[in-house]
Amino acid sequence: MAEAASSDRPTREQWIQIRSTQGRATPPGWRDTSVLLDYQSEIVRQCERHDVVVVEKSRRTGATWGAAADAVLRSASSRSDGGMDTLYMGTSHDMAKEFIDAAANWARLFEKAVLETGDVIFDDGSEKGIQALKIDFASGFSIVALSSKPRSLRGRQGFAVLDEAAFVDNLAELIKAAMAFLIWGGKVLIISTHNGADNPFNQLVVDIRAQRLRYGLVRFDLDDALRDGLFERICLINAHKHGEWTPEKEADWRDKLIADYNDGADEELYCVPSQGSGAWLPGPLIEARMVDAPVLRLGFPDSFTMEPEHRRRAEVQRWIDEELAPVMQTTLDPALQSGFGMDVGRLRDLSVLCPMQMTRVMRRVIPFMVELSKVPFQQQEQIRDAVVRGLPRFIGGRIDATGIGASLAESGTQSFGESMIGVKFSTEWYRTEMPPVKAAFEDDAIAIPRDAEIGADLRAFKIIKGIASLPALRTAAGAGGTRHGDAGIAIVLAYSATRLPFVPYSYQAVTASGPVALDGPRGLGAGRHHDDDEPRSSLLPRLRRSL
């Protein structure tokens, strides 16, 4: 059963161990070290891949420094090599000056010809214009740094860099103005630390994670930056203060920085937007996505665990044959791809199995669900295998591998191969997987069983420090025991499985009695079904190559 994602950061001693094991991320000598740390390089790489890139970051980690390098390379290049003007917009004149200074340093390092630098009056459509800082390159392009007024971008073209976007006066209008740059091949880079869960910048990040927006996304917090060598670089620049880098010095510096930020450390240093609390999905939205679909519930008394294995297996097989199989036969559409999610419980919480089918318009439909109370693990495997083997065009599954779920997750991978993956819940998992599910509810792209307890499980998710996760609270289950968002976790796991890049396959196996259709649900996951006329050793490699 999934517990709430912990936001506890490593202690000083743990951080020393982490960094001692890792070792230095950068060479100790300045002549050997790369000019950009890896997370700074990632910003440049993402700007090559995407027209719009959003960076959520920790405070003062040098994201703007990396953006300045990208700006110089673009604006100092000819048009045929992708050259263009750069318009940098920060929240103050000091930020503009810092960016121009960084760009000038990069220009000298890259040996790019600079014609002129200095202050200019930038025409923003007003009578007086606005003060701006500018670098002109021999390529004919310029870098201009100015204030964050949306009208400043009107009628312009090139590479727009919006810095500390969460703190501008009207981010929505600024982004709208910047999007016009894309028409003629421009690019937009949006950089910021967080400024509240309701801020437009955080909503932009959530929309990207929910795949509503096909933008590039880069995220790094303080610990990510330290692992990539941030404090090593600080020691290199300020050797008089810090001396040679050691894991102990880094741990002390890190602890002091977190203490200095106090309550603001989560937002300022760890990319967790503040003021985020309350329900993840409102009740009316959950009920609007409910349809008539069966929910099968099976429970046993505690004494059932001590029954001989053959009796337990026979009893559960009877339930599969009489209860589960008819429901699967009547609710599953053989033409649709199927995914699978399973949250694991044993004594206190429930185990919930959630098949999910994708329609041709990419709507996720749950044909039925299964809830198990106090069912021994061997019989849980028996029921799981019966469900998965009966799913048409199976494309993959996700099983809770946290705590007691590890055994079932492992046996699932052994039975169905790499298409069945165990998931250990973490803050990063919730951050990545929850937004697409919420988007599906908001866009009417999911259908769930009409059931009060399933609805209660979905309402159990809360926004905790800006991330949807499960608090450590349990409610009573109608069939006895407790619930801890069990059905909700199973739904999220199944949805995650349907977003995997797996492709189901099918083929016609020619036998003496004629063609027999064998399809992908069992073939792709486990590889157990094969044509006797062709050895598995030759069949499976060819299928892997084709996939």
Side-chain angles (χ1 to χ4, degrees):
M1 177 56 230
E3 296 291 341
S6 173
S7 62
D8 292 340
R9 296 179 288 270
T11 64
R12 177 185 181 278
E13 289 70 26
Q14 289 171 335
W15 189 254
I16 291 173
Q17 179 63 35
I18 290 169
R19 294 292 276 123
S20 297
T21 302
Q22 174 191 346
R24 289 188 66 102
T26 63
W30 66 269
R31 287 185 175 87
D32 300 322
T33 190
S34 59
V35 293
L36 290 177
L37 300 177
D38 190 60
Y39 62 88
Q40 295 168 328
S41 299
E42 181 63 18
I43 296 173
V44 179
R45 288 192 290 266
Q46 288 294 326
C47 286
E48 286 299 311
R49 297 172 189 155
H50 301 277
D51 291 337
V52 182
V53 176
V54 176
V55 179
E56 54 172 341
K57 66 179 186 69
S58 172
R59 182 75 70 185
R60 304 300 294 173
T61 46
T64 305
W65 173 256
D70 195 10
V72 169
L73 292 174
R74 292 183 188 280
S75 296
S77 300
S78 63
R79 188 180 299 276
S80 60
D81 290 331
M84 62 184 74
D85 288 329
T86 297
L87 279 82
Y88 170 87
M89 305 186 75
T91 58
S92 67
H93 183 75
D94 288 341
M95 288 183 63
K97 186 178 185 305
E98 184 178 354
F99 184 83
I100 288 294
D101 289 344
N105 286 332
W106 282 117
R108 285 190 290 270
L109 182 64
F110 294 149
E111 298 181 350
K112 298 297 184 182
V114 176
L115 297 182
E116 187 178 1
T117 64
D119 292 3
V120 296
I121 299 299
F122 185 82
D123 180 12
D124 67 339
S126 63
E127 291 184 4
K128 294 182 179 180
I130 56 174
Q131 185 179 9
L133 299 166
K134 186 179 183 183
I135 301 178
D136 292 325
F137 292 93
S139 63
F141 297 113
S142 303
I143 296 177
V144 181
L146 59 158
S147 67
S148 56
K149 295 180 180 178
R151 67 173 183 270
S152 301
L153 296 180
R154 297 293 179 181
R156 308 295 170 180
Q157 178 61 37
F159 179 37
V161 180
L162 313 181
D163 201 0
E164 290 299 355
F167 298 87
V168 303
D169 293 334
N170 194 337
L171 179 58
E173 286 298 317
L174 189 61
I175 292 176
K176 186 166 67 174
M179 289 302 138
F181 282 33
L182 307 181
I183 297 173
W184 288 92
K187 289 180 177 288
V188 178
L189 174 61
I190 303 170
I191 304 171
S192 191
T193 48
H194 277 288
N195 187 25
D198 297 329
N199 188 280
F201 176 74
N202 185 54
Q203 297 303 313
L204 181 65
V205 171
V206 170
D207 285 345
I208 295 171
R209 288 207 172 95
Q211 299 183 345
R212 293 191 186 97
L213 299 173
R214 301 293 181 175
Y215 299 163
L217 179 63
V218 180
R219 178 190 181 277
F220 55 88
D221 59 26
L222 174 64
D223 290 352
D224 296 325
L226 290 174
R227 288 187 183 94
D228 284 349
L230 173 63
F231 187 69
E232 296 170 22
R233 185 62 52 84
I234 291 173
C235 289
L236 193 64
I237 300 300
N238 298 304
H240 64 283
K241 180 177 180 180
H242 300 290
E244 288 292 326
W245 174 88
T246 66
E248 291 77 14
K249 287 181 182 179
E250 181 172 296
D252 290 338
W253 180 86
R254 173 180 176 271
D255 271 9
K256 183 179 184 302
L257 187 63
I258 292 172
D260 288 343
Y261 272 100
N262 200 3
D263 292 340
D266 281 337
E267 183 165 69
E268 295 288 318
L269 303 179
Y270 287 93
C271 306
V272 178
S274 63
Q275 304 168 6
S277 61
W280 175 57
L281 288 175
L285 180 60
I286 295 171
E287 293 178 17
R289 303 298 170 249
M290 287 183 167
V291 297
D292 292 330
V295 178
L296 302 179
R297 293 184 166 96
L298 175 65
F300 291 108
D302 293 337
S303 59
F304 183 74
T305 305
M306 306 308 296
E307 292 286 337
E309 181 182 353
H310 69 278
R311 290 185 181 178
R312 286 186 277 112
R313 190 165 188 84
E315 177 66 20
V316 169
Q317 188 60 49
R318 182 197 61 78
W319 180 83
I320 291 172
D321 295 338
E322 296 179 4
E323 303 291 338
L324 177 62
V327 168
M328 294 182 67
Q329 185 174 4
T330 57
T331 60
L332 289 170
D333 187 334
L336 301 182
Q337 296 179 350
S338 303
F340 174 78
M342 181 177 182
D343 185 38
V344 180
R346 177 61 179 91
L347 297 175
R348 182 168 57 169
D349 301 321
L350 304 175
S351 281
V352 180
L353 293 78
C354 177
M356 183 174 287
Q357 293 198 286
M358 282 197 299
T359 69
R360 291 175 179 82
V361 294
M362 302 300 290
R363 190 168 190 256
R364 271 71 168 182
V365 176
I366 299 173
F368 65 93
M369 291 183 75
V370 177
E371 293 189 354
L372 307 177
S373 175
K374 296 184 178 181
V375 175
F377 287 127
Q378 289 177 314
Q379 276 55 65
Q380 291 193 35
E381 289 184 12
Q382 184 180 353
I383 295 169
R384 177 203 64 199
D385 292 353
V387 171
V388 175
R389 285 172 183 152
L391 294 179
R393 304 184 66 193
F394 180 61
I395 58 175
R398 291 283 190 264
I399 298 179
D400 164 25
T402 306
I404 61 173
S407 175
L408 275 168
E410 182 177 78
S411 69
T413 302
Q414 291 169 345
S415 297
F416 300 99
E418 295 181 357
S419 63
M420 188 71 74
I421 299 174
V423 173
K424 291 186 178 295
F425 299 107
S426 65
T427 299
E428 187 59 33
W429 184 85
Y430 281 106
R431 179 185 288 113
T432 302
E433 299 297 338
M434 301 305 283
V437 180
K438 184 173 184 179
F441 274 89
E442 293 173 342
D443 299 340
D444 193 16
I446 191 170
I448 65 174
R450 195 184 314 279
D451 184 272
E453 294 195 329
I454 290 176
D457 282 355
L458 287 166
R459 286 193 295 272
F461 287 97
K462 304 296 181 184
I463 303 296
I464 302 173
K465 293 186 177 180
I467 301 170
S469 54
L470 280 174
L473 297 174
R474 285 172 167 80
T475 58
T482 60
R483 305 183 72 97
H484 186 214
D486 310 299
I489 285 290
I491 290 171
V492 176
L493 287 168
Y495 195 94
S496 175
T498 63
R499 296 198 299 128
L500 294 174
F502 287 111
V503 179
Y505 64 82
S506 62
Y507 68 99
Q508 291 287 108
V510 180
T511 65
S513 58
V516 178
L518 298 179
D519 59 2
R522 291 156 287 275
L524 179 61
R528 289 193 301 269
H529 301 267
H530 59 279
D531 180 7
D532 291 337
D533 292 340
E534 185 168 13
R536 286 179 59 183
S537 58
S538 62
L539 172 65
L540 290 180
R542 191 167 73 250
L543 289 171
R544 291 194 186 100
R545 286 194 297 272
S546 68
L547 290 174

